[in-house]
């Protein structure tokens, strides 16, 4: 009696025989991954990286878009030091940043804490608070210009309590910058409020319950529970606000065009004036490098301070 031998023969697997299909799959996945990120890399390289590299070269030259750039060394930076317009724009930028950053941070945090409660219609109020941030800057500038005019609503309200300045805010060299800061704070608060709202969602409720059991007041719960838990969010908000404040341009340009005189003439507008209006691309590039260096230094300092606090 013989046993049936019709079972399929076992194929002998050679060492490393499955490596080819595995490599093909790996190459396929790599190509698919590159196909997703390559357009972004190309766009970043063409629109951002190459212009930035060219900017650093331009800062050491004199070029008006015609002819070849003439190498000047550090002459553009030396000229910046003695340029009165540059000094004014730098001072106005710092003036704007010193008030815009803390006011926006406090307003955003206060609004986030208010809208983090079980308030009726809270979804509507959150949307309403965010709406200014997505509104066109041109529309914002047009509306606020009317509100800040000599016979505008703001002066009429101030007139009720005897504080009507009698002039349009954006036409007065003393009131123009406070007006710009006020509008900027109003516009940016909604965006940073959302960041703080997200941060508040991560605070463990058990910490509040334990604090209540210990008899902590509302201020003690905020200072000992909420504020420490929001430190990463506050750090991110501060960095973003600092960079945004240093490079402010569109709202200032549309609201006051840097005036009256040069009372709201900021550093980004100085770069625009020299580069786009006066065709001094090399000189404008030097100003841009100063702005970039300021943002970089302030951000590094913020990172170091935050790292030291975390220890």
């Amino acid at each position: 009696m013989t046993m049936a031998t019709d079972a399929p023969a076992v194929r002998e697997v050679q060492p490393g025989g499955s490596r080819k299909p595995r490599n093909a799959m790996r190459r396929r996945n790599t190509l698919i991954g590159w196909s997703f990120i390559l357009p972004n890399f190309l766009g970043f390289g063409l629109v951002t990286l190459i212009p930035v590299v060219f900017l650093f070269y331009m800062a050491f030259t004199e070029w008006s878009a015609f002819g070849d750039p003439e190498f000047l060394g550090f002459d553009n930076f030396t000229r910046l030091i003695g340029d009165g317009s540059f000094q004014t724009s730098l001072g106005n930028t710092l003036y704007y940043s010193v008030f815009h950053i803390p006011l926006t941070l406090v307003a955003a945090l206060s609004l986030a804490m208010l809208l983090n409660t079980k308030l009726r219609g809270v979804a509507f109020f959150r949307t309403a608070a965010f709406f200014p941030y997505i509104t066109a800057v041109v529309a914002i500038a047009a509306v606020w210009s009317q509100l800040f005019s000599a016979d505008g609503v703001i002066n009429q309200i101030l007139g009720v309590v005897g504080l009507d300045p009698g002039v349009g805010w954006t036409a007065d060299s003393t009131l123009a910058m406070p007006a710009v800061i006020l509008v900027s704070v109003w516009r940016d608060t909604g965006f940073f409020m959302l960041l703080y709202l997200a941060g508040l969602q991560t605070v463990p409720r058990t910490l509040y319950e334990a604090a209540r059991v210990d008899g902590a007041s509302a201020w003690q719960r905020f200072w000992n529970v909420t504020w420490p838990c929001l430190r990463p969010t506050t750090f991110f908000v501060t960095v973003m606000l600092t960079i945004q404040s240093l490079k402010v341009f569109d709202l200032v340009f549309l609201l006051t065009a840097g005036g009256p005189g040069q009372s709201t003439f900021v550093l980004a507008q100085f770069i625009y004036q020299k580069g786009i209006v006066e065709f001094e691309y090399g000189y404008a590039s030097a100003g841009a490098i100063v702005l970039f260096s300021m943002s970089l230094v302030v951000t590094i300092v913020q990172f170091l301070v935050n790292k030291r606090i975390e220890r």
Side-chain angles (χ1 to χ4, degrees):
M1 183 176 179
T2 59
M3 296 181 63
T5 57
D6 53 349
V10 178
R11 182 178 298 174
E12 185 178 354
V13 178
Q14 297 295 331
S18 60
R19 188 172 300 170
K20 288 184 177 179
R22 195 181 306 158
N23 289 341
M25 178 67 74
R26 188 177 301 169
R27 282 195 299 271
R28 178 172 174 272
N29 291 337
T30 302
L31 289 174
I32 292 175
W34 275 105
S35 67
F36 279 107
I37 62 176
L38 191 59
N40 188 34
F41 276 139
L42 288 176
F44 173 77
L46 292 174
V47 179
T48 303
L49 185 59
I50 293 176
V52 168
V53 173
F54 190 61
L55 168 80
F56 277 85
Y57 167 71
M58 289 292 301
F60 298 93
T61 66
E62 181 181 11
W63 189 50
S64 61
F66 300 101
D68 297 327
E70 179 183 353
F71 187 75
L72 296 178
F74 288 93
D75 287 358
N76 284 331
F77 296 95
T78 307
R79 181 183 167 191
L80 282 175
I81 296 174
D83 192 330
S85 295
F86 173 76
Q87 295 171 2
T88 301
S89 65
L90 184 60
N92 287 337
T93 303
L94 295 178
Y95 174 18
Y96 173 87
S97 302
V98 164
F99 286 95
H100 176 250
I101 295 172
L103 289 176
T104 305
L105 193 147
V106 171
L109 177 59
S110 303
L111 195 58
M113 293 190 65
L114 177 64
L115 296 181
N116 194 44
T117 58
K118 296 179 180 177
L119 188 67
R120 190 172 184 180
V122 67
F124 168 78
F125 290 117
R126 288 177 180 177
T127 305
F130 185 69
F131 193 73
Y133 191 77
I134 59 175
T135 304
V137 181
V138 176
I140 291 176
V143 171
W144 279 96
S145 294
Q146 294 298 319
L147 295 177
F148 280 126
S149 63
D151 55 350
V153 175
I154 294 178
N155 278 359
Q156 292 179 16
I157 295 174
L158 292 176
V160 175
V161 292
L163 295 177
D164 185 359
V167 296
W169 285 51
T170 56
D172 185 86
S173 58
T174 304
L175 297 176
M177 184 58 84
V180 170
I181 294 172
L182 182 63
V183 178
S184 296
V185 171
W186 171 80
R187 177 174 177 262
D188 297 336
T189 294
F191 173 72
F192 293 105
M193 175 209 68
L194 284 185
L195 298 181
Y196 270 121
L197 269 176
L200 287 171
Q201 305 301 317
T202 64
V203 180
R205 294 294 158 193
T206 53
L207 295 180
Y208 290 115
E209 294 170 2
R212 286 194 180 91
V213 171
D214 291 339
S217 63
W219 170 252
Q220 289 172 328
R221 290 197 299 273
F222 168 77
W223 188 249
N224 296 307
V225 177
T226 307
W227 184 247
C229 291
L230 287 179
R231 185 180 299 156
T233 306
T234 302
F235 170 68
F236 178 73
V237 168
T238 306
V239 171
M240 294 292 292
L241 269 174
T242 302
I243 297 174
Q244 190 170 320
S245 299
L246 291 177
K247 67 182 185 66
V248 62
F249 172 70
D250 51 358
L251 182 61
V252 179
F253 186 76
L254 292 169
L255 203 58
T256 65
Q262 289 188 326
S263 57
T264 57
F265 190 63
V266 291
L267 192 52
Q269 189 176 352
F270 171 83
I271 298 169
Y272 166 81
Q273 179 73 25
K274 295 300 177 184
I276 305 301
V277 178
E278 301 178 9
F279 301 106
E280 294 188 74
Y281 293 113
Y283 192 46
S285 300
I289 287 183
V290 172
L291 177 58
F292 170 77
S293 302
M294 289 172 56
S295 302
L296 182 64
V297 169
V298 172
T299 303
I300 290 175
V301 170
Q302 288 174 327
F303 267 97
L304 293 177
V305 171
N306 183 67
K307 192 174 181 180
R308 188 171 182 177
I309 293 174
E310 286 182 345
R311 289 177 183 173

